[in-house]
Amino acid sequence: MSDQAFVTLATNDLYGKGALVLGTSLRKHKTTRQLVVLVSPQVSNNMRAVLGRVFDEIILVNVLDSKDSAHLAMIKRPELGVTFTKLHCWALTHYSKCIFMDADTLVLCNIDELFQREELSAAPDPGWPDCFNSGVFVYRPSIETYNELLQFSTTKGSFDGGDQGLLNSFFSNWATADINKHLPFIYNLSSVAIYSYLPAFKQYGADAKVVHFLGNVKPWNYTYDPTTRCVMRDSQDHSSVVHPEFLNMWWDAFTTSVSPLLIEHGISKEASPGKQEEEKLSEAVSQLSFTPPPPVASSEERRKKWEQGQADYMGVDSFENIQKKLDAYLN
């Protein structure tokens, strides 16, 4: 199927590592489609050489940045402005149909059946199910659509400052027009949100096909012990909502298939030579996850956070605490 492809994006060497894990997971599960990675100029030549060992096509693209600091501040993700670069995927018109997958996703089985879906097919976002999550979506490359998206980004912008807000506004009828374009959650299972409905995860989690490591702390920000085959985390690591099983799967794939390629091309398995800025950024992001928990919020503050989709699922708003309150009320 040379006219269909899985497409991902790497904007630096750290996301290059994620793309390599994604690509090797697609290969492992014997996809019959082409693998394409879009890379920005910030990706080193050594990393591009390694990507060429896994992907069929490497395409250099210029960075598109929303520069929308106001909206990005609302989701506390200032780095997501460059995700507009993802729009270049619509310019791959030598393919008839593609599936875009973020570099922080991991494939758990063959998902070639997704090519039976039409544009724009995607899974609901766990934070607002009437929006789709743009980490995995089926689309048809088109220069017309590409130009319309660029124009839309200039005139309308994005309600979250990143590609997801833009794409949801552009494909605004996704929630209501065609249920066949709603992918099951198992094709884009958030590794963070599973704890917000733990009973469902216990019931259906084994059917997961794609795991998406949402949030500012990515798998490559952790330390992995290859002897115990376990991710090592600080006792005060508040990002522990990420299911350890999935983290271990990611690191197992990295250690087994990706790390040897990096070493072969002169890139250490810890970090890329000459990438000190990325190391500092990674360290800064990791430190953000170790900050002390905030003081107990008032009822009014908690209500506002619920309305904004920022409930403290691992703290006072955990399933266990909510269950206790319901039991006390019913009794």
Side-chain angles (χ1 to χ4, degrees):
M1 303 296 292
S2 60
D3 68 331
Q4 297 182 345
F6 285 98
V7 182
T8 190
L9 167 68
T11 51
N12 56 44
D13 278 18
L14 291 174
Y15 276 85
K17 292 180 178 181
L20 286 166
V21 171
L22 169 61
T24 55
S25 69
L26 284 163
R27 295 282 187 209
K28 174 183 176 182
H29 296 294
K30 304 186 185 307
T31 180
T32 59
R33 271 59 174 191
Q34 298 290 292
L35 300 189
V36 179
V37 57
L38 308 178
V39 298
S40 73
Q42 288 70 31
V43 177
S44 69
N45 289 332
N46 282 354
M47 180 58 75
R48 294 184 204 180
V50 181
L51 289 167
R53 297 282 296 274
V54 175
F55 288 84
D56 297 299
E57 191 173 10
I58 303 173
I59 300 176
L60 179 64
V61 295
N62 61 300
V63 174
L64 301 177
D65 193 335
S66 71
K67 300 186 184 300
D68 189 348
S69 57
H71 283 106
L72 291 168
M74 291 176 64
I75 56 176
K76 300 179 181 179
R77 297 293 302 280
E79 77 279 11
L80 290 185
V82 298
T83 61
F84 268 34
T85 310
K86 185 184 297 187
L87 301 183
H88 287 303
C89 72
W90 266 273
L92 305 179
T93 53
H94 50 299
Y95 296 107
S96 63
K97 187 184 291 186
C98 296
I99 296 172
F100 186 91
M101 303 187 71
D102 279 350
D104 57 352
T105 58
L106 175 69
V107 170
L108 305 182
C109 63
N110 186 288
I111 56 170
D112 286 358
E113 70 272 10
L114 285 180
F115 285 95
Q116 299 173 18
R117 304 278 184 150
E118 286 301 327
E119 181 179 81
L120 188 290
S121 291
D125 187 82
W128 193 266
D130 278 347
C131 289
F132 58 83
N133 183 278
S134 60
V136 178
F137 60 84
V138 183
Y139 74 100
R140 286 189 176 275
S142 161
I143 290 298
E144 181 180 1
T145 304
Y146 176 62
N147 290 330
E148 289 176 356
L149 279 165
L150 293 180
Q151 179 65 26
F152 191 91
S153 69
T154 302
T155 57
K156 302 292 185 180
S158 166
F159 62 74
D160 66 358
D163 69 283
Q164 182 160 303
L166 171 69
L167 292 176
N168 270 277
S169 295
F170 186 83
F171 295 99
S172 58
N173 66 348
W174 174 86
T176 57
D178 186 355
I179 192 64
N180 290 319
K181 294 182 180 180
H182 289 219
L183 299 182
F185 192 55
I186 57 174
Y187 285 103
N188 193 350
L189 177 67
S190 166
S191 62
V192 176
I194 57 176
Y195 280 89
S196 64
Y197 195 20
L198 185 57
F201 175 72
K202 289 183 176 179
Q203 178 72 16
Y204 304 112
D207 298 327
K209 295 177 181 286
V210 179
V211 177
H212 191 181
F213 296 95
L214 292 175
N216 59 350
V217 181
K218 302 302 181 184
W220 51 83
N221 295 130
Y222 292 87
T223 301
Y224 181 75
D225 185 343
T227 304
T228 61
R229 299 181 68 179
C230 291
V231 173
M232 300 168 62
R233 288 175 293 171
D234 188 279
S235 59
Q236 296 185 15
D237 179 4
H238 300 297
S239 63
S240 58
V241 290
V242 177
H243 200 279
E245 178 186 358
F246 296 139
L247 272 178
N248 289 338
M249 287 181 180
W250 189 96
W251 270 99
D252 185 55
F254 179 85
T255 303
T256 303
S257 303
V258 175
S259 184
L261 294 177
L262 295 177
I263 296 173
E264 182 181 336
H265 286 76
I267 305 176
S268 74
K269 56 185 177 182
E270 293 301 328
S272 304
K275 284 292 186 178
Q276 295 180 354
E277 314 87 59
E278 292 177 5
E279 287 183 79
K280 291 177 181 178
L281 176 61
S282 175
E283 181 180 358
V285 170
S286 299
Q287 289 176 350
L288 287 175
S289 67
F290 302 136
T291 54
V296 178
S298 65
S299 298
E300 179 65 18
E301 290 173 332
R302 285 180 59 204
R303 182 182 66 80
K304 288 182 179 178
K305 286 186 177 296
W306 269 85
E307 292 173 350
Q308 295 170 359
Q310 299 176 358
D312 183 13
Y313 292 121
M314 294 302 295
V316 293
D317 300 319
S318 67
F319 176 81
E320 182 180 357
N321 286 341
I322 293 174
Q323 186 67 55
K324 287 179 180 178
K325 290 184 179 181
L326 287 172
D327 291 341
Y329 175 79
L330 293 173
N331 290 333

